[in-house]
Amino acid sequence: AQKITQTQPGMFVQEKEAVTLDCTYDTSDPSYGLFWYKQPSSGEMIFLIYQGSYDQQNATEGRYSLNFQKARKSANLVISASQLGDSAMYFCAMRWDREYGNKLVFGAGTILRVKS
Amino acid sequence: EAGVTQFPSHSVIEKGQTVTLRCDPISGHDNLYWYRRVMGKEIKFLLHFVKESKQDESGMPNNRFLAERTGGTYSTLKVQPAELEDSGVYFCASSVDRGYSPLHFGNGTRLTVT
């Protein structure tokens, strides 16, 4: 069964430093999409970045990049130059089975706290 | 463009009462999803609409939950009768297609059953 694992319940990072949030997944489907979402204390879910299983290059979106290691089934989120506003819950999620446009499956999340 | 909107943002009801949550997806998004996050637990899928049809309702916890999407526009999620374990944050999301386009989430409805 498909599964997403985020092993870090909480992380601290100093402002302006980079931080890596871990995500591993398990699927036998060759085609899938990996997503990261941010949930600040205000509660909304904000889409950050997407990586397709067939993408040759790691995805980047501004200060966010995805360290995609397909053989290891990991899709870690790297946030460069952390800002106080990055403090939030971060969820890794996966969709698979393009034909059926399947649902997102979420990991348990990682709480990130940025220290000034 | 307007994002996904959910109403109400908060709801406090007593056990046994009925509550109806509403979701307005992004205009033009045929795919609409409901998710729930119970306190301290993972975000769980409830169901998926494609236009007005239920594509996947495998995550609906029991028959006290009823989701509709009349006309393929907004959706409602009714809980009747509510139980204590139904408390949590209910998220609605929409996406433009069935592929790997991201889901756009609403701000959620925080439901408290007392």
Side-chain angles (χ1 to χ4, degrees):
Chain A
Q2 285 83 351
K3 186 177 178 181
I4 295 280
T5 303
Q6 294 180 254
T7 57
Q8 307 153 313
M11 292 278 288
F12 282 95
V13 65
Q14 195 67 39
E15 192 178 10
K16 299 181 183 178
E17 292 184 350
V19 62
T20 298
L21 306 183
D22 294 342
C23 173
T24 58
Y25 58 93
D26 187 17
T27 180
S28 57
D29 196 313
S31 178
Y32 50 89
L34 294 155
F35 303 79
W36 278 91
Y37 283 83
K38 171 185 178 181
Q39 186 181 38
S41 57
S42 50
E44 70 269 33
M45 293 282 283
I46 302 167
F47 165 70
L48 295 178
I49 196 167
Y50 161 78
Q51 179 85 44
S53 61
Y54 293 118
D55 292 345
Q56 295 297 313
Q57 294 187 326
N58 288 345
T60 60
E61 287 288 347
R63 294 187 298 111
Y64 304 108
S65 60
L66 203 151
N67 183 3
F68 181 47
Q69 298 186 48
K70 192 170 182 177
R72 299 178 63 179
K73 293 186 177 179
S74 74
N76 299 339
L77 177 71
V78 180
I79 305 175
S80 63
S82 297
Q83 302 172 356
L84 295 178
D86 294 334
S87 294
M89 176 76 89
Y90 288 81
F91 292 99
C92 180
M94 182 170 71
R95 291 180 90 175
W96 67 98
D97 195 345
R98 182 184 293 268
E99 181 178 353
Y100 296 98
N102 231 322
K103 52 191 176 282
L104 270 178
V105 174
F106 285 88
T110 296
I111 299 175
L112 176 67
R113 290 287 177 252
V114 181
K115 300 183 291 183
S116 59
Chain B
E1 63 179 4
V4 176
T5 57
Q6 292 187 244
F7 182 83
S9 57
H10 294 81
S11 181
V12 180
I13 60 172
E14 293 183 352
K15 177 182 174 181
Q17 290 186 322
T18 297
V19 63
T20 300
L21 314 181
R22 172 169 170 147
C23 169
D24 287 76
I26 293 173
S27 178
H29 283 196
D30 288 341
N31 294 271
L32 187 149
Y33 306 79
W34 284 98
Y35 284 81
R36 176 175 75 170
R37 187 178 187 207
V38 174
M39 180 67 72
K41 297 195 175 180
E42 296 179 4
I43 301 171
K44 292 292 189 183
F45 167 82
L46 296 179
L47 88 160
H48 169 205
F49 284 99
V50 178
K51 296 185 180 179
E52 66 274 11
S53 299
K54 292 177 184 175
Q55 177 75 18
D56 180 355
E57 52 184 327
S58 61
M60 294 289 263
N62 51 60
N63 59 10
R64 295 185 294 102
F65 288 76
L66 175 64
E68 295 179 325
R69 193 183 181 194
T70 306
T73 54
Y74 71 91
S75 174
T76 58
L77 179 64
K78 179 189 288 187
V79 185
Q80 178 183 29
E83 297 289 345
L84 297 178
E85 64 265 24
D86 300 333
S87 295
V89 180
Y90 290 77
F91 288 101
C92 174
S94 70
S95 70
V96 66
D97 60 31
R98 297 187 180 198
Y100 297 138
S101 55
L103 271 59
H104 299 272
F105 282 80
N107 289 352
T109 294
R110 183 174 296 278
L111 174 64
T112 303
V113 182
T114 63

